[in-house]
Amino acid sequence: MSEDLISKKELLDLTGISYGQLYRWKRKNLIPEEWFIRKSSFTGQETYFPRNQILPRIDKILNMKDGLSLDELADVFSPTLGEVQLDRHQLIDRNIVSESSLELFKEAGKEQPYYNLDQTLLLFVLEKLLKSGDITREEGKMLIGVLTEHYHHFSGKPCELVLIRKMGVPAFLLAGGGSELYFDSGVKVVLKLPMGQFTEELKLKIG
Amino acid sequence: MQERRQRNDLTISGMSTTSGGSYDYVTIDGMAKVTDSLDCLSLEVNGTLKMQGTLTAAERMTINGMGTIEGPVRSSRIRVDGMATLRGDVTGNEVEVNGRCKIEGRLEGERIQIDGSVTVRGNVECENFRANGNLNIEGLLNAEAVDIQLYTLSSVQEIGGERIDVRRTERGGFWKNIGFGGSPRLKAGIIEGDDVFLEDTEADTVRGARVFIGRGCKIRLVEYRETLDQDPEAKVASRRQI
């Protein structure tokens, strides 16, 4: 899977932002350092970005920046979550999770009176993936497993959630941000999503 | 009732080794070795300091003598008038270097003013960067506004920001005659900004919205969005409007 890259020049053209803005956002950590991929070409050194991450990010910055200061925005985009405790009614009221996802959570034996942010994130991911029809309920349980067991290894660092299926047998994996994965030809990659995308959305819902 | 101070001051006048710790005001007039981290309100070094750990100086850190700090440095005002070697990352609000400073990590701040000489291994990030001295930055210099007055041969791997301004300093006969520090020049790989004004600069690629390439420049490629003006004394190998 070679990542789809966009050059800096193309990015500025496409989004209409200036060099000043781009460098300012980098300084404020709105755009993480590992998205700046340097490559040498015959026209000199060029900087590239992962297309499917940078474009939505810039879109979000441009749409939200009127309401929030750059520093507040940086908090939204940072992969770490703050402290929060929510009970099941709050989760449902705020549209983070539906009854049926909570039910599945209960079946997996993870039900709690209060959910901290990591667990809320887990529920939120589960809800989103179930709703989009990308995963089945059975796979949802596997998702709960992999995230409870391993998500904390990435404490604050970017990582990606990957679901693959081979011959109808699903498997979840968490991979460090920016790592490349290759599979044999019988494997279908059902989804490969940066977890950061979920934390951002969740923070906006909670915040 | 006056609030009781929780922390003591530390003054070293002779030669001494301390393990660091937590203090209000730390003054070093002699020679001191600090074997661990130091957390204080302010640190002033007039003599020599060798330190192993992390330095956190909430209000300010001033080095008038010599200082070597192995760990990261964090302070709201950092001022180096003497010589400092900082082996970790340096974070400060205001950073001022009048002497010589070598930083092996990255340098972050709001306002950075260099009147002496500074070498940075990593990236430099701040809002306002002004230099009237000698620069050697091996990483990216990223600032809202970059103002560099050239005195000697300086080099910066990459410069990015909104406004970048590099100017030649007219200097008197004396310094010119002895050729102190080499002729004033800036060597850079890539320079990218919205408003770019360059003099005496040697760069591989310059990209910007409004670009002025002044006297003494030697640029391989200029890519501009809106305008490109060029001094007849400047050399630009190729140019492209994008």
Side-chain angles (χ1 to χ4, degrees):
Chain A
M1 250 190 293
S2 94
E3 248 182 309
D4 189 10
L5 297 175
I6 179 169
S7 77
K8 190 188 273 176
K9 219 180 298 172
E10 213 182 321
L11 179 73
L12 296 193
D13 262 351
L14 211 61
T15 55
I17 62 172
S18 67
Y19 284 110
Q21 280 172 305
L22 188 68
Y23 279 105
R24 192 175 310 133
W25 296 341
K26 181 179 187 216
R27 276 205 304 282
K28 298 285 183 194
N29 289 326
L30 296 181
I31 303 172
E33 190 129 3
E34 63 265 19
W35 289 7
F36 288 73
I37 302 164
R38 296 222 160 75
K39 286 196 172 169
S40 300
S41 66
F42 62 95
T43 53
Q45 209 187 46
E46 256 281 25
T47 306
Y48 293 85
F49 301 90
R51 182 188 292 266
N52 47 14
Q53 288 181 297
I54 189 86
L55 287 177
R57 172 66 57 99
I58 287 193
D59 196 50
K60 271 183 209 155
I61 297 172
L62 288 174
N63 284 324
M64 295 198 298
K65 78 171 181 197
D66 294 334
L68 296 167
S69 76
L70 286 180
D71 290 323
E72 285 168 328
L73 266 180
D75 286 339
V76 174
F77 292 134
S78 107
T80 45
L81 293 162
E83 271 316 306
V84 156
Q85 279 205 325
L86 297 167
D87 62 21
R88 63 178 287 145
H89 298 295
Q90 285 171 305
L91 286 174
I92 292 168
D93 283 349
R94 295 195 192 187
N95 249 334
I96 297 169
V97 184
S98 66
E99 287 281 2
S100 68
S101 304
L102 273 170
E103 203 53 45
L104 188 63
F105 212 57
K106 196 173 167 186
E107 278 172 39
K110 302 273 194 237
E111 200 194 23
Q112 318 210 341
Y114 288 98
Y115 296 92
N116 69 19
L117 257 174
D118 274 354
Q119 290 157 335
T120 312
L121 177 68
L122 204 173
L123 278 165
F124 184 61
V125 175
L126 182 69
E127 168 80 15
K128 293 275 287 189
L129 296 183
L130 281 173
K131 228 181 204 165
S132 66
D134 284 326
I135 62 170
T136 63
R137 282 178 69 86
E138 220 30 64
E139 285 166 345
K141 280 188 196 165
M142 294 170 61
L143 173 73
I144 296 173
V146 71
L147 282 181
T148 358
E149 289 269 313
H150 300 298
Y151 185 59
H152 65 268
H153 293 305
F154 293 96
S155 58
K157 290 195 291 272
C159 70
E160 284 181 318
L161 177 71
V162 185
L163 170 63
I164 54 171
R165 281 192 202 119
K166 184 176 183 182
M167 306 285 288
V169 181
F172 272 101
L173 56 122
L174 280 173
S179 54
E180 296 181 30
L181 301 169
Y182 302 93
F183 303 97
D184 74 64
S185 55
V187 171
K188 177 175 163 46
V189 179
V190 185
L191 52 91
K192 184 168 184 284
L193 296 167
M195 286 296 286
Q197 189 186 316
F198 296 109
T199 42
E200 279 163 32
E201 266 181 69
L202 181 61
K203 272 185 207 172
L204 288 176
K205 285 204 172 200
I206 293 176
Chain B
M1 207 174 74
Q2 205 184 352
E3 200 183 320
R4 223 187 103 206
R5 275 165 67 183
Q6 300 289 319
R7 307 196 287 187
N8 297 319
D9 295 345
L10 172 71
T11 307
I12 294 177
S13 303
M15 258 167 77
S16 176
T17 300
T18 147
S19 65
S22 184
Y23 298 95
D24 269 350
Y25 293 92
V26 179
T27 314
I28 293 166
D29 293 326
M31 270 172 85
K33 210 170 175 175
V34 181
T35 55
D36 207 339
S37 298
L38 192 60
D39 183 358
C40 57
L41 269 188
S42 100
L43 168 74
E44 192 179 334
V45 181
N46 297 309
T48 305
L49 167 73
K50 266 196 164 52
M51 193 174 147
Q52 302 294 342
T54 305
L55 173 70
T56 312
E59 277 175 12
R60 65 181 174 273
M61 156 181 131
T62 315
I63 295 183
N64 296 312
M66 267 173 75
T68 307
I69 298 172
E70 300 289 333
V73 173
R74 184 174 279 275
S75 180
S76 148
R77 290 178 58 103
I78 296 174
R79 189 179 166 132
V80 177
D81 292 339
M83 257 168 84
T85 305
L86 312 172
R87 297 205 201 279
D89 293 345
V90 178
T91 315
N93 235 332
E94 282 181 47
V95 180
E96 203 176 319
V97 177
N98 297 309
R100 278 172 90 91
C101 188
K102 188 173 174 195
I103 295 167
E104 293 186 1
R106 45 194 293 145
L107 171 61
E108 266 174 55
E110 281 290 313
R111 264 194 302 283
I112 298 178
Q113 166 100 31
I114 312 288
D115 291 318
S117 161
V118 83
T119 301
V120 186
R121 268 288 152 71
N123 294 347
V124 177
E125 292 190 353
C126 65
E127 294 307 310
N128 266 297
F129 183 90
R130 296 183 74 89
N132 287 306
N134 179 250
L135 286 180
N136 189 349
I137 299 173
E138 289 172 30
L140 161 71
L141 166 59
N142 177 353
E144 188 78 22
V146 177
D147 275 286
I148 299 175
Q149 290 268 349
L150 290 167
Y151 280 87
T152 53
L153 180 63
S154 288
S155 69
V156 180
Q157 180 51 41
E158 213 180 320
I159 306 178
E162 185 163 281
R163 202 176 56 75
I164 296 164
D165 201 304
V166 180
R167 274 168 210 266
R168 170 189 294 184
T169 316
E170 307 299 343
R171 55 182 186 175
F174 176 66
W175 293 112
K176 210 170 186 167
N177 287 340
I178 63 166
F180 179 72
S183 59
R185 265 195 113 52
L186 173 71
K187 282 194 178 173
I190 300 177
I191 298 177
E192 287 180 337
D194 295 335
D195 290 284
V196 182
F197 182 102
L198 301 175
E199 278 180 353
D200 284 341
T201 300
E202 237 171 80
D204 182 75
T205 309
V206 175
R207 300 192 180 98
R210 292 163 294 278
V211 181
F212 179 86
I213 306 289
R215 55 199 173 155
C217 283
K218 229 169 119 183
I219 317 282
R220 194 186 59 87
L221 170 66
V222 178
E223 292 182 336
Y224 63 102
R225 251 156 218 284
E226 291 163 29
T227 59
L228 169 64
D229 293 303
Q230 189 186 333
D231 190 274
E233 276 181 58
K235 289 193 189 112
V236 175
S238 57
R239 73 197 66 204
R240 204 161 57 198
Q241 182 158 22
I242 50 171

